[in-house]
Amino acid sequence: MRVLTRSLFASTLIAGAIAASPLQASAAVIDFDEPGLANLYFAGESFQQSGFNMTVGYDFATVDVAAALAAPPSGNSTQFYTQGNEGFLTLTKADGGLFNLNSFDAAFVPLVPAPGGQTTIAAVGTKADGTLVGWAFLFAPAVAGSYQFAQYSGADFSVYTNLKSVEFFACSFDGANVCASPLQNNGQFALDNINVTAAVPEPSAALMLGLGLGGMAWLRRRQTKA
């Protein structure tokens, strides 16, 4: 199920346009299904799949199946990545090249019991020149007490081109502002099926400029643990 509702980061202003599409290579899907990836990872540790590096930030993470979690999301019978507490996952190309982010699947993984309020999954990309771009997407709601995996894709992803890296993390949403309140160790999320393509940027391509994302990322890092 695709979640159609999405919210732009607080204080973010998108300006400019993409003048030309980059040349693209074949798509790769990071699905975390390789048996050797199943593990517990701590902050600073990395692993690889499909020519991409994934680095865990701030707190622990796992690659495992739903049965390994106390409050597992529904809609995924395979291995997936789960980020604990208020950590984040950084994705880079193993050869240092640029890439495009086309889509990903994600689900909320709450503490038990789940808190009130809304939580988003944020994806912040860093362009070749250091410009930050991205969106925050509302997680799919719980059904019968279980949060569902949803696919995030479509026109919003036009900003995710010619990236050096992309960082995934959870943030609060109060109906108007993203990352305005600490999540108190409840920024846990599951991630799977990250669809990416290597990109060769064209010199004439104008960059999509995302203002305010730097401050939003800083707010996320300032969220304190309980």
Side-chain angles (χ1 to χ4, degrees), residues 57-70:
Y58 189 67
D59 220 316
F60 74 93
T62 64
V63 173
D64 215 323
V65 294
L69 301 178

Side-chain angles (χ1 to χ4, degrees), residues 1-224:
M1 182 184 77
R2 180 180 301 172
V3 176
L4 298 179
T5 304
R6 62 103 175 97
S7 172
L8 187 61
F9 297 130
S11 302
T12 298
L13 188 62
I14 297 298
I18 297 178
S21 299
L23 300 176
Q24 295 186 357
S26 298
V29 178
I30 300 166
D31 59 13
F32 304 100
D33 284 342
E34 294 178 9
L37 295 181
N39 206 346
L40 171 65
Y41 299 92
F42 294 98
E45 293 188 327
S46 298
F47 55 94
Q48 286 192 357
Q49 187 184 11
S50 302
F52 284 79
N53 292 329
M54 276 119 334
T55 303
V56 179
Y58 189 67
D59 220 316
F60 74 93
T62 64
V63 173
D64 215 323
V65 294
L69 301 178
S74 59
N76 193 325
S77 61
T78 65
Q79 286 186 177
F80 52 85
Y81 177 88
T82 302
Q83 180 62 62
N85 297 333
E86 295 186 32
F88 55 95
L89 179 70
T90 302
L91 178 71
T92 56
K93 205 162 182 292
D95 63 6
L98 302 179
F99 64 95
N100 305 329
L101 174 65
N102 305 312
S103 66
F104 61 87
D105 298 349
F108 187 39
V109 182
L111 296 175
V112 182
Q118 292 181 297
T119 309
T120 66
I121 178 70
V124 176
T126 301
K127 295 276 195 176
D129 68 348
T131 299
L132 299 177
V133 296
W135 294 99
F137 304 86
L138 289 174
F139 283 114
V143 175
S146 178
Y147 285 85
Q148 304 175 77
F149 264 92
Q151 183 186 78
Y152 301 89
S153 61
D156 290 336
F157 280 69
S158 63
V159 302
Y160 296 118
T161 57
N162 300 327
L163 303 177
K164 291 193 301 184
S165 66
V166 64
E167 187 174 296
F168 298 94
F169 56 93
C171 257
S172 62
F173 179 57
D174 63 9
N177 300 304
V178 179
C179 296
S181 303
L183 289 174
Q184 304 298 336
N185 278 354
N186 204 45
Q188 303 188 142
F189 62 92
L191 195 64
D192 204 3
N193 299 322
I194 306 172
N195 187 295
V196 287
T197 51
V200 180
E202 295 182 357
S204 60
L207 293 176
M208 181 71 77
L209 177 62
L211 304 178
L213 290 176
M216 184 283 306
W218 178 83
L219 281 173
R220 193 267 302 150
R221 289 188 172 88
R222 293 284 295 175
Q223 292 178 5
T224 58

